[in-house]
Amino acid sequence: MTQPHHTLAETLEAISDLTPEQLERYIRAGVVVPVQSEQGPLFRDIDLARLSLVVDLAEGYHLDEEALALVLSLVDQLHGLRGDMRAILDAVAREPVETRVRLKAAIREVRVVTR
Amino acid sequence: MADDPYKALGLGKNASQDDIKRAYRRIAKTDHPDLNPDPAAHERFKAASSAYDLLKDPEQRARFDRGEIDAQGQEQPQRHYYREYAESGDNPYRQPHGFDDLSDVFSDLFGGRAGGGGRRGGARSFDMRGPDQRFTLEIDFMTAARGGSTRITMPDGSVLEVKIPEGAHDGQVIRLRGKGGPGMGNGEPGDALLTLIVAEDPDWKRDGNDVETTLPITIDEAVLGGKVEAQTIDGPVMLTVPRGASSGQKLRLKGRGIRGADGRRGDQHVVLKIVMPPRVDDELARFIEEWRQNHAYDPRRGK
């Protein structure tokens, strides 16, 4: 379960467009939540990927920390739901054909409105 | 990536550094794979992203323009998108929102508690309990084994003292009551939930509640046996090394492991490792040579 962790300096090195002040503001606003340790904050791979996205969003759309926290929370929900949906689709795909057809019909009934 | 990074950004060779940055930002806005699921958008973003990596540094750009480096040669290690991590079920950033979504479907399917069902009613009244906040806390082996306390810095900058229970394990969650998000109206604040990560230790290996350490011994201790000091979680103890000990031999210290949930402690296994003196002097070499003449043995032969 132990993953490679990156220190504050390594993280700033890896994401060249991120300044120490920005990173501090993002931590303060909870946009990114690094792992706590005695040696200070540690960043996982997921935190680096998240910070890269944060930099692209912040510069592209001129978002401040509050807006970023909102957008990221929506992105998290979206990605989470996508992951859930993939899991359900995988589960459905393992079912026999009749079950899949029945599920398809049920979904169509609920989801596809015919006028 | 396209051979021509300028084309990937939709620019000509005489574009300014500002133009390059602007062009990349424009493409990131529309085609970022974390925002746009379209595969064609992904390709455009990938090309623009490596083009930007190459051209954003004026010196590197100049070298490319002079033909000293090519676009491929300077390609950065493949970028990992956030979605690669965020879609996994254990994304630490996905807070339970209590919406009527698929997470509820999952808890229904697998008999979990209805997620957030109790809290939803709270939205109607003005008093609402604050949200729980999740954090991850890394601790070292000894803090986990012995218990203790550590400090964490909350996002708002305040410092909290956290008690780590004896025998804490990887993935264990510690709840700090009332240290989460503030409540609304007269609602109580939520809790802070800390998920523990126990850092790997070069000297201590952990397997459940058992621990394993390596004890270096001298050749004379290996041959003659004797009492040797060994480290345990509770401090040093004197350990009896048997006469004729071999490297890799394990000695068990019962009850010197990690305290489990049932209150009993696991065992510590001490692996012996014979270490040669820093220098094999003439006296030792001569003695071993003489000894070998009458006592040769072959440890590689089957037992």
Side-chain angles (χ1 to χ4, degrees), chain B residues 89-106:
Chain B
D90 58 359
N91 173 10
Y93 285 106
R94 194 182 183 204
Q95 307 268 356
H97 284 278
F99 289 147
D100 190 12
D101 61 18
L102 291 179
S103 333
D104 285 354
V105 175
F106 279 135

Side-chain angles (χ1 to χ4, degrees), chain A residues 11-99:
Chain A
T11 302
L12 290 168
E13 169 99 349
I15 304 171
S16 49
D17 286 340
L18 185 66
T19 67
E21 298 75 31
Q22 272 173 327
L23 182 53
E24 191 180 315
R25 283 208 308 276
Y26 294 153
I27 293 175
R28 197 165 279 247
V31 172
V32 60
V33 186
V35 172
Q36 300 273 349
S37 81
E38 294 271 274
Q39 303 89 48
L42 294 174
F43 297 82
R44 300 154 289 193
D45 289 342
I46 185 178
D47 298 319
L48 294 197
R50 189 174 170 93
L51 281 167
S52 300
L53 172 63
V54 164
V55 168
D56 282 336
L57 284 173
E59 300 210 2
Y61 292 92
H62 309 287
L63 298 183
D64 64 9
E65 299 88 81
E66 281 192 14
L68 279 170
L70 170 71
V71 172
L72 266 284
S73 137
L74 293 173
V75 168
D76 283 329
Q77 289 178 49
L78 184 66
H79 284 325
L81 287 173
R82 259 198 213 141
D84 286 353
M85 193 174 70
R86 257 187 246 284
I88 289 190
L89 288 178
D90 279 356
V92 170
R94 279 182 227 160
E95 291 296 310
V97 183
E98 309 84 71
T99 319

